[in-house]
Amino acid sequence: MEELRNLKQQIEQGELDAESKEKLAKQLEQMEQGLREMREERERAKEDLKRRIQDQKEQGDTAGAEQLQRQLDELEAGDQEMNRLERMANQLGRAAQSLKSGDNQQAASQLEQLAADLEELQSEMEQLETLDELMDELADAKNAMNCQQCEGGG
């Protein structure tokens, strides 16, 4: 995020020469392509899981199908984040195009928005980590309460 804001400032102040702008545009395009490929791979994995679930059901393996369905549910739970990554990829592409066309203000604006989105994403990830820690603590407490040896005494 800090680096994006530094780049934005350099672009706005005209501190990047034509060669640096071209290199930056290429890097932004590569990042955009990487995000798009990640999304496509995730979609392929979801389709593969759906196919495998159907195969398991046809074979009568409901336990196997349920396990695969849980994996699919986990992947689908991350769809909102993948949509956000898609938007970020679009911003990267627009920033790269703006740099190539010489529209420094538009490129700077796209980088600023991208930095803000990354900051929001980081905050959400931190909240999820905290929630995961709390869930682990709750599971530990539940397990301690069900302990046969100490009858919940710890």
Side-chain angles (χ1 to χ4, degrees), residues 122-139:
Q122 181 180 7
S123 174
E124 288 176 11
M125 289 178 71
E126 288 171 358
Q127 289 174 0
L128 285 174
E129 287 175 11
T130 302
L131 184 59
D132 283 344
E133 289 172 9
L134 287 173
M135 293 298 286
D136 288 343
E137 289 176 18
L138 282 172

Side-chain angles (χ1 to χ4, degrees), residues 3-51:
E3 188 63 31
L4 284 174
R5 289 202 168 101
N6 287 338
L7 285 172
K8 173 196 166 275
Q9 187 175 24
Q10 289 174 354
I11 291 169
E12 285 178 331
Q13 295 175 357
E15 295 175 2
L16 296 178
D17 59 16
E19 184 180 337
S20 296
K21 283 183 188 179
E22 187 175 322
K23 284 182 183 179
L24 178 58
K26 278 188 176 186
Q27 287 176 333
L28 293 175
E29 287 173 339
Q30 289 171 346
M31 291 169 64
E32 174 191 17
Q33 185 62 30
L35 289 174
R36 292 193 191 285
E37 287 173 4
M38 188 184 340
R39 181 174 178 85
E40 289 170 7
E41 187 171 317
R42 185 181 182 97
E43 290 301 317
R44 283 191 299 270
K46 284 171 44 177
E47 290 303 315
D48 181 55
L49 276 172
K50 288 177 184 177
R51 218 175 14 262

Side-chain angles (χ1 to χ4, degrees), residues 26-135:
K26 278 188 176 186
Q27 287 176 333
L28 293 175
E29 287 173 339
Q30 289 171 346
M31 291 169 64
E32 174 191 17
Q33 185 62 30
L35 289 174
R36 292 193 191 285
E37 287 173 4
M38 188 184 340
R39 181 174 178 85
E40 289 170 7
E41 187 171 317
R42 185 181 182 97
E43 290 301 317
R44 283 191 299 270
K46 284 171 44 177
E47 290 303 315
D48 181 55
L49 276 172
K50 288 177 184 177
R51 218 175 14 262
R52 290 173 53 201
I53 289 168
Q54 187 61 35
D55 290 345
Q56 294 290 327
K57 286 180 180 178
E58 288 173 1
Q59 295 173 7
D61 184 4
T62 56
E66 287 174 8
Q67 182 181 10
L68 292 174
Q69 183 63 49
R70 283 191 294 275
Q71 291 176 6
L72 179 60
D73 292 344
E74 287 177 19
L75 276 177
E76 288 177 342
D79 281 353
Q80 185 176 4
E81 286 79 21
M82 291 310 294
N83 289 338
R84 179 176 287 160
L85 289 178
E86 181 74 19
R87 287 192 306 273
M88 293 168 85
N90 290 336
Q91 288 173 331
L92 287 168
R94 287 191 299 269
Q97 196 59 38
S98 296
L99 279 174
K100 286 181 175 182
S101 67
D103 189 350
N104 291 350
Q105 285 304 111
Q106 183 63 26
S109 174
Q110 292 297 328
L111 291 177
E112 178 64 30
Q113 183 60 45
L114 185 61
D117 288 348
L118 282 173
E119 201 170 307
E120 184 180 328
L121 186 61
Q122 181 180 7
S123 174
E124 288 176 11
M125 289 178 71
E126 288 171 358
Q127 289 174 0
L128 285 174
E129 287 175 11
T130 302
L131 184 59
D132 283 344
E133 289 172 9
L134 287 173
M135 293 298 286

